Amino acid sequence: MTEVASPDVISVLIVDDLPENLLALKALLLDEPLRVIAAASGEEALSLLLEHEFALALLDVQMPGMSGFELAELIRGSSRTRHLPIVFVSAADREAAYTFRGYEHGAVDFLYKPLDAHAVKSKVRVFTELHAKSRELRRQLVELEAARIAQERLLAELQHTQGELQHALKLRDEFMSMVTHELRTPLGVMALEVIMRQQRLAKGDLAWFSPERLQAMIDKDGRQVRSMTRLIEDMLDISRLQHGMLSIRRRRTDLAELARRVVADFEGQYQQVPLTLLALPGVVGDWDDSRIAQVLVNLLSNALRYGAGRPVQVEVDLSDDGLARLTVTDQGPGIPLEDQQRIFQQFERLPSSGKAPGMGLGLYISQQFVQAHGGGISLHSEPGKGASFEVLLPLMPA
Ligand SMILES: Nc1ncnc2c1ncn2[C@@H]1O[C@H](COP(=O)(O)OP(=O)(O)O)[C@@H](O)[C@H]1O
Ligand SMILES: [Mg+2]
């Protein structure tokens, strides 16, 4: 049994067939900060070499069976031990011949018998220090490599963040130019109207302000103001969502009642499109009614805006799983499968929406609102066969 050396201890292998020689060498190296492991034959030495990492091997040249040179040849032959420094210990009288063969085998050095304590110690020191240094170097290399990998990862993260930042900046710019455009159009119209009315007034043309005209003016102004208010509220919601500041104020809400209210509002504005509501009574839950109403407003205005003027249906009922379900179905051109996910993202609009006003925020905001209630929106649509948006809401917070 050999004990397991701690990784920092430096081991030296000594090989000699005579136990007294091994003892003498061990004694010489006793004071050194080394672990000396002895083998009595080449075979034993080879098996020790498999188990341990050595800084140096001291090999007796003359041994029965495998000689020191034969052992050295085997050591050089194995990739694991090829670079192990070897010091041959030889009888001084055969010096010349052994030196020659030793160098042939790639030996590093020689010690001569009888062993001189000082010579042995200083040679062993040279090699063990070398070993310690190269071990330290290897350790530093490993550390360096780890540092390099960490740096590379950091760089990749940095590049990723930079990409995201640039994307965010681009979004912001697009957002700003869209907002500007969306606000400027109705504002421009209103500004013109104001100038016109001022001119009429300045001319004293009061007859122009007939009751019918006044009514139409007020209706039109109301629509423009509502659409601008809507836009600004959407922007505020987006900003709240981005900062995780969306607050949900739950209170007991009857979904059928809520839908009736929203649908009635729309009927006033869109008399030209048939709008039906099928509502199961008693679908009551704890929701933020203003957010859910806004979801329905968004889905309904899409159905009316993109539904080709064909009938639109709103349904309120319960799903098989006992969730509240709100469905808005139109008979418009529908939405191709490949776009069905995309349109729920910010600013995503289909080319078919053309010049229709809008910034592509309605579905995004609606989905966020519904998700904040623990629910979800799904879309079922086949091109040419209309679209059906289904909102599922748990009755109670989880
Ligand atoms: N019912 C629908 N039928 C067809 N297309 C729709 C419908 N609802 C939404 N869309 C498409 O999804 C896009 C994103 O909708 P939305 O997020 O509400 O933004 P906006 O209405 O401002 O464009 C719309 O521009 C339109 O292209
Ligand atoms: Mg919309």
Side-chain angles (χ1 to χ4, degrees):
M1 269 291 286
T2 41
E3 75 222 70
V4 179
S6 92
D8 288 338
V9 172
I10 288 182
S11 302
V12 171
L13 176 67
I14 57 177
V15 190
D16 201 309
D17 57 311
L18 296 178
E20 59 268 30
N21 285 354
L22 289 175
L23 276 178
L25 259 176
K26 266 193 171 171
L28 272 179
L29 297 173
L30 208 59
D31 301 337
E32 302 297 313
L34 295 172
R35 185 161 176 267
V36 178
I37 299 178
S41 68
E43 287 81 2
E44 200 188 333
L46 286 174
S47 85
L48 284 171
L49 279 161
L50 286 177
E51 280 172 47
H52 302 273
E53 193 210 334
F54 290 104
L56 174 68
L58 294 170
L59 309 185
D60 181 27
V61 172
Q62 236 183 353
M63 292 188 286
M66 195 188 298
S67 77
F69 289 140
E70 284 164 339
L71 175 56
E73 213 166 319
L74 291 175
I75 291 173
R76 293 280 179 254
S78 149
S79 60
R80 214 179 94 83
T81 50
R82 178 166 299 142
H83 301 291
L84 174 66
I86 294 171
V87 175
F88 289 114
V89 183
S90 76
D93 53 332
R94 310 232 185 124
E95 187 186 327
Y98 285 154
T99 307
F100 178 65
R101 280 189 67 191
Y103 278 115
E104 239 180 7
H105 289 283
V108 181
D109 216 336
F110 275 83
L111 280 168
Y112 302 104
K113 291 175 184 173
L115 290 173
D116 165 62
H118 180 71
V120 171
K121 282 186 183 176
S122 63
K123 267 207 171 84
V124 167
R125 246 174 237 156
V126 167
F127 287 112
T128 51
E129 271 164 21
L130 209 74
H131 181 79
K133 275 191 187 125
S134 79
R135 194 190 257 179
E136 173 61 15
L137 218 76
R138 267 205 307 275
R139 199 187 54 72
Q140 284 177 355
L141 263 173
V142 168
E143 267 176 18
L144 233 97
E145 179 62 11
R148 193 187 61 78
I149 288 171
Q151 210 174 41
E152 243 169 39
R153 194 176 317 126
L154 213 73
L155 194 75
E157 268 171 33
L158 219 73
Q159 276 165 344
H160 179 74
T161 314
Q162 196 192 24
E164 278 184 343
L165 209 75
Q166 272 164 352
H167 181 67
L169 279 177
K170 193 168 147 263
L171 272 188
R172 193 199 59 183
D173 290 346
E174 283 173 8
F175 185 68
M176 290 308 288
S177 72
M178 249 189 302
V179 170
T180 319
H181 174 80
E182 292 285 315
L183 280 177
R184 194 188 277 147
T185 311
L187 262 180
V189 172
M190 285 184 85
L192 274 178
E193 295 267 335
V194 169
I195 292 170
M196 228 167 62
R197 292 169 205 170
Q198 275 170 337
Q199 287 172 348
R200 297 275 174 188
L201 268 182
K203 281 190 210 146
D205 184 4
L206 285 178
W208 188 82
F209 295 91
S210 65
E212 301 76 44
R213 188 161 267 150
L214 272 174
Q215 186 60 53
M217 261 163 48
I218 289 167
D219 288 349
K220 196 172 172 192
D221 290 353
R223 277 198 301 279
Q224 310 275 33
V225 168
R226 267 198 302 279
S227 104
M228 286 188 281
T229 309
R230 178 77 269 140
L231 192 72
I232 286 164
E233 270 165 12
D234 277 358
M235 277 159 35
L236 285 174
D237 283 333
I238 288 280
S239 149
R240 281 189 202 110
L241 284 167
Q242 274 168 352
H243 296 98
M245 305 273 281
L246 183 73
S247 61
I248 296 293
R249 288 191 201 88
R250 292 176 188 268
R251 64 169 184 209
R252 209 105 196 100
T253 304
D254 183 325
L255 198 55
E257 240 167 58
L258 179 148
R260 212 166 291 131
R261 201 164 19 91
V262 173
V263 168
D265 260 8
F266 270 86
E267 273 171 334
Q269 294 172 52
Y270 288 83
Q271 280 133 351
Q272 58 281 40
V273 180
L275 196 51
T276 45
L277 170 64
L278 285 177
L280 186 76
V283 182
V284 176
D286 282 354
W287 306 303
D288 185 325
D289 57 338
S290 69
R291 308 288 190 200
I292 301 304
Q294 198 187 324
V295 170
L296 180 54
V297 166
N298 287 343
L299 295 180
L300 249 183
S301 39
N302 282 351
L304 295 167
R305 195 180 286 164
Y306 309 118
R310 298 210 193 93
V312 171
Q313 180 163 305
V314 178
E315 271 170 278
V316 171
D317 62 356
L318 283 168
S319 76
D320 294 340
D321 312 332
L323 299 169
R325 179 165 53 198
L326 178 66
T327 319
V328 178
T329 308
D330 66 59
Q331 297 169 29
I335 296 141
L337 192 64
E338 65 267 25
D339 294 318
Q340 292 187 5
Q341 303 234 331
R342 180 163 81 79
I343 55 169
F344 284 94
Q345 288 165 17
Q346 293 180 61
F347 309 123
E348 293 288 352
R349 311 187 74 202
L350 302 184
S352 52
S353 17
K355 284 200 167 33
M359 301 214 303
L361 294 176
L363 287 176
Y364 171 78
I365 291 174
S366 301
Q367 194 178 46
Q368 298 289 321
F369 283 3
V370 170
Q371 283 172 357
H373 282 80
I377 303 188
S378 57
L379 162 58
H380 311 275
S381 176
E382 263 180 71
K385 292 192 180 164
S388 181
F389 287 84
E390 183 186 85
V391 176
L392 288 172
L393 288 170
L395 301 183
M396 296 286 156

